[in-house]
Amino acid sequence: MSINLSQKLPVNAFETKPFARDSTKRSMLDKHSLATLTHGNPHDKKVVCWRAAASIAWAVLLLPPVTALFVVLSRVSLFHPIEWITECLSILTSASTMFSFVLLCGVVVVVGFFNLEYYTVTPSIACSKIALLAQLLHPRQCLHAVVHCIMGVIVAWCCAFTIGPRYQNLASVCTLVDGDPQLCLNEYHLVLILFGAFVGYSHSLFGVMHNMNYVPFHAVQQYKYLRFKGNLPLVVKCSAIQSLYFTRNFLAVYFFLGYIPRSWLCDTLSLHSLNPLDSIAGLLDLAMLYHLWISGTFLLLTWYLTVLLFRVFVTEVYNFPVQSAFTEQADRCLPKVLPGQQPMVLKFLALQDLALLSQHAPSRRAQVFSLSQPGGHPHNWNALSSECLSLLADLTQRLVAHHETVAINGRAKLHSAGSDKKSVSSDSSGLSATQDISTPRSAFLRSAGAAAPMSPNTGPFTSDLDSPFSSRALRRLAPHLVPSSPWSETVQSPHLLRRGPQLWSASTEREISSSFLSFFSVPNSPVQVKHFLGRRVLVMYLFNKLPEASSQALFADSQSHIWALEGLSHLVAASFTEDKFGVVQTTLPSILGSMLVLQEAVDRHFKLPHASSKPLRSACSMGDCTSKTLRFALRATLKTAIYRITTTFGHHLNAIKMSAEHRKRLQQFLEYKE
Amino acid sequence: MCSLAFFPPPLSPGKITLCETNNELVSTESCQKQDYGPLSLYFPRESLKPHSRTENSSKAAFLQHSETLWIRSATVDFYFVLWGFPAPKWLSVSSGCVLALLQRVSSLHGALFPHLKVTSDCAVRAFAWHPHTEKFAVALLDDSIKIYNPKSATPPTLKHRLQRSVASVQWKPLCASALAVACQTCLLVWHVDPCSLSIRPSSGCAQVLSHPGHSPVTSIAWSPSGSLLVSASPVDTSMMVWDVAAESSVPLQRVGGGGVSFLSWSPDGSHVLAATPAPLFRVWETRMWTCERWPSLKGRCESGCWSPDGSRLLFTIQGEAVIYSLTFSDTTGTMKGSKAAAVVADLSETTFTTPAGDIIVGGEVQLLAWDPRGERLAVLLKGDSEAAARPAMIAVFKTRNDPIFELLPCGFIQGEPGAEPRLMQFSPNFPHGAMLTVCWSNGRITHVPFYFLSAGVPHLGLNGSPAMPQPEERLVDHGNSTLFTELCS
């Protein structure tokens, strides 16, 4: 019935407030938000929590239809349709179903809460296998896995309860060879419960490997209901296919290791075991396979729906006012929110809003271009443009640093100092050019202060940030600082490493291999050498860089840069006709300069090996597909942004003061030769 | 309401319309004195070998397999993964039968969906001007695309394995190099480096965008801001909005209509017209991607075009000899348009008497094109290829959108005897007025310039810009620049 209800809803029926008000989880979430988000304007922080609460409420509301569907499909018997339907109806109205339904609601709420707690807007990309392993073994992740395991068991128990008598109880009465009725282990029940635990754990594992906690923003805006509806078939397909794979894996595991839980249960509960299932014939029971698969699909579907709703709600456009007449609202305005220190997601929402207002809202653009009432300063424009410019400068700096590292590595290997030195020096000149160009308020200084965790120099000291005891807000601020992030290797000076030695910060591929080489120089017995070779291969396997990962990690938060570029370029293009006071003109040279410098850095980055290779597209996964292609999107957006400015201003750009190199570059854009 | 009866009679048969000067379309050589003219091209059908690939003899040396790669890999992998040993004989036989059945069903496809068959008697299948420069792309019958640039002698030829039955090409706005191609099975986005001298760019320069169920792609439209690409197929009910660089797509599904056969993005980027093969079309608003349904009564929407400011949509309906107009006043992102479409032009059949006999012009409209300044509207009228007295014609209207919408007759464009116009597009940046490029059925591409002084052009870079000092002046006071005074805050 709820399916019908939700389908008939008007387009913007997913309003945040009413459902959050109805939700019983409101008080808990509010407390949570106050406890973890201590600084900044509490109103804006609450936005995310409200949205999460609304998404959880909707996930709970969607549970009855999904459960009903599951009951109908799990008891399917085509040859007795009437019996089938009456059975389903009686099950759906029974008290025990109500109880398991309450349990399922609890599971959905916990899963939704974990979504809120673990989500990130910048994916964490592991640069080597060992970093991935470290992510998996992180205490935070272990907690996630254990909780999802338990949730899986609970869901599987509910499934066992609804599917039928074959799975309902752990023990059953059976007759042994000598004729006495005795209690036997019902292994089907055990299999289903273990399957639930397995799927729960695999879900958590896959979440790390495919960055399922990453919340991607879309280039196309849609109303929540339509977005949800559009993604629903994909989610159903995904959960069905994923469940198939999990079933296969589980069968393999159970075939080899299934005797352990069985014998342990038989021993502790003194049950008998008849016809053990961990044989090929036992596991190829089609009815059981079907039930395993459909239970797994049900479990994954409810969880994926929670994830989907969470994403849809969190990434919805939030309208920040550009300026406000009331001082108490001043903190909520776009120019204040954008550069503020806050959870990353708010910054993203603000940037998204900026990009959209620059394209679609002439009245709000007029507010951006307006002057302050006493004084006549363009505070709004200054704040917005300097924040965007500092974002771009930050990315440029990061790219240049990465390129330098690569160049240095290359020089160490090839001993070809000449050409590399040249490129490095040109890098640094490019960097100084940015600093010269940046506005008097010095975006660099501010970025060094505000976005300190992003700057490359602090890379190796992230252990405290990543520890489970640090506050969540801090972790949000530096979400992409995975251990062994690519710029952790930019600083290799010994005293820095002494201050913050980290287990996996290493990127110490060279050190390790050199230590092994020194080990080899000592004569050893062949057996030992073989032993070490084997270990060395393993170590090399673990420490070897994944080819594209460093490039992906560099551009992990590039969605913000894309919006900054779009916002800036649209605003500048609109200023040609709309900017009455010439506010934009003052910053136009620095905007063009930083875009051109970034363009140069991006161009050079794409000349590196692996940087321009496209990732394999996975057709069906709930994980992120967009984060892997962000660098391509950034490159295209950057070019389009420069073209937008040059096309609008045309030959007027000749009147702008800029360096000869930039002018040459700009001329190429004016002639459409890039 | 303007009708064809007010038009000046067409030129006598045998004469070719060359240009418009002094308010009339002429065939004399008086146009040649103007210095602007991109090259006219001629692609006779005989020069192209559309089936050259099948003539390759190497094909006979290999066994032809019928199953698609996907089905093969799916059956084999699935089986292998699931059971761990290769499929037995009976399974392969039965799956072969299923495949044969599938092929039989798919061979009925052409009979079931006649509108999907591409009629190709013309050597030119698609044509597109670059929105900013003087180059254009021509898709030919042999599935190759040539890019002509007045500055380079040899046009680069684009060929790709998947580039088959090209239905449409379009250049990406605000970009020098990207060209989107709608193909039989997928969507290709070529990145042709404008500085490269290569005549045959490798297929590595092409990005392949495909989505299961979304084929054949017949119409595409770039957003004017260059960020998004919309593609549509007449058999897929969902329209794809692509973020091309990220290769991600968002399907926008609306069931009614059974597909999308025609797409047009308004020049201000706020609306997209999506016509379906059924008597129904939609106008999407591009901010939140919601749509207005326009269930038109008589037939399907054949063609449509937007005024340069995106406030007015002209469209034609199959089976009706009129042009309808819809207005949109988009200020806040919500659609507030007119409630009903108004008829603005009557194109019913009209007989003109020429020295060589009577000519009947009028009837259904095949294509509409509006020039980027909003001053000329070209209407391609269907003719009867059998009857010599009913040729296909291009009627040109003078238009004005502000303060009130006006359509005034201008004249007819006619080509060589026997040649029918197939495609037409206005050049996006012609300095002296407007220029219409017409692709004729005999493979000729001609350009018809319209020389006029435009009244109050909203052309960026000419009006409304702040007065800029000359560069020399700026060099003088180099030390304390006066133009870009820093507002210290």
Side-chain angles (χ1 to χ4, degrees), chain B residues 194-230:
Chain B
C195 300
S196 151
L197 294 173
S198 149
I199 296 176
R200 185 74 198 276
S202 79
S203 53
C205 300
Q207 231 179 324
V208 181
L209 305 174
S210 63
H211 191 270
H214 191 67
S215 67
V217 184
T218 56
S219 43
I220 47 177
W222 282 98
S223 76
S225 66
S227 51
L228 298 174
L229 174 68
V230 178

Side-chain angles (χ1 to χ4, degrees), chain A residues 36-112:
Chain A
T36 53
L37 309 166
T38 47
H39 54 273
N41 185 351
H43 173 85
D44 288 335
K45 309 298 179 300
K46 261 194 239 164
V47 169
V48 178
C49 295
W50 277 117
R51 291 178 165 194
S55 76
I56 293 173
W58 271 103
V60 169
L61 279 180
L62 282 177
L63 203 52
V66 176
T67 315
L69 198 68
F70 167 69
V71 168
V72 170
L73 285 181
S74 66
R75 302 187 71 98
V76 67
S77 62
L78 289 178
F79 301 109
H80 310 283
I82 296 175
E83 208 175 304
W84 170 29
I85 289 169
T86 48
E87 243 181 31
C88 288
L89 283 179
S90 66
I91 285 178
L92 283 175
T93 47
S94 70
S96 57
T97 312
M98 290 299 147
F99 175 65
S100 49
F101 182 71
V102 170
L103 273 183
L104 287 176
C105 286
V107 168
V108 165
V109 169
V110 172
V111 169

Side-chain angles (χ1 to χ4, degrees), chain A residues 31 42 52 80 95 152 198 228 274 312 387 390-391 438 461 467 507 525 551 619 639-640:
Chain A
K31 262 183 231 154
H80 310 283
F198 182 83
F228 175 76
L274 277 181
V312 167
E387 177 56 26
S390 80
L391 274 175
S438 64
F461 320 121
S467 80
S507 70
S525 71
S551 195
K639 249 182 200 173
T640 310

